[in-house]
Amino acid sequence: NLSLLVFGFSSSFYLSVIALFFAGFAFISTSAAALTRVQVFSNADEHGRLMALWGMAFMGSRPMASLIDGAVATATNVHIATLLMIAPAILGTILLHKSARKTI
């Protein structure tokens, strides 16, 4: 999220490229870690169902988000679209952090 915030506020091409590089790295590493966690901490007989849900949640929702993101970027610009699209992720991160602190 931090690298996408940097991209959203950046006016420099090179800073934008560097921010997007780190955003891509973070996306791939967190996706791989989350997928590994799902497979390691689930029963072997549930892997097929979990992978189907994983595919629907992450791969199935991406085309709709891309349409929305493209429409917002067309109406405004790429930087504003990025900031608007990461706002729910930042809010979710804050709420998850607060929820995790209550359970500790």
Side-chain angles (χ1 to χ4, degrees):
N1 289 343
L2 181 62
S3 57
L4 287 175
L5 276 174
V6 170
F7 172 76
F9 289 113
S10 172
S11 60
S12 165
F13 173 76
Y14 296 109
L15 181 60
S16 296
V17 168
I18 292 168
L20 290 177
F21 170 80
F22 284 109
F25 179 79
F27 173 76
I28 290 172
S29 61
T30 56
S31 294
L35 184 57
T36 300
R37 190 173 179 89
V38 165
Q39 290 184 352
V40 167
F41 293 109
S42 65
N43 296 330
D45 59 336
E46 297 174 343
H47 280 183
R49 282 175 261 163
L50 285 172
M51 292 313 300
L53 289 172
W54 181 272
M56 287 299 296
F58 291 101
M59 302 306 170
S61 63
R62 188 67 226 150
M64 186 60 70
S66 293
L67 283 174
I68 295 168
D69 195 21
V72 172
T74 300
T76 59
N77 66 41
V78 174
H79 297 285
I80 292 173
T82 300
L83 293 173
L84 288 175
M85 294 300 282
I86 66 168
I90 292 171
L91 179 63
T93 302
I94 292 168
L95 293 175
L96 186 62
H97 181 68
K98 285 184 179 182
S99 173
R101 287 182 56 192
K102 288 180 184 177
T103 60
I104 293 177

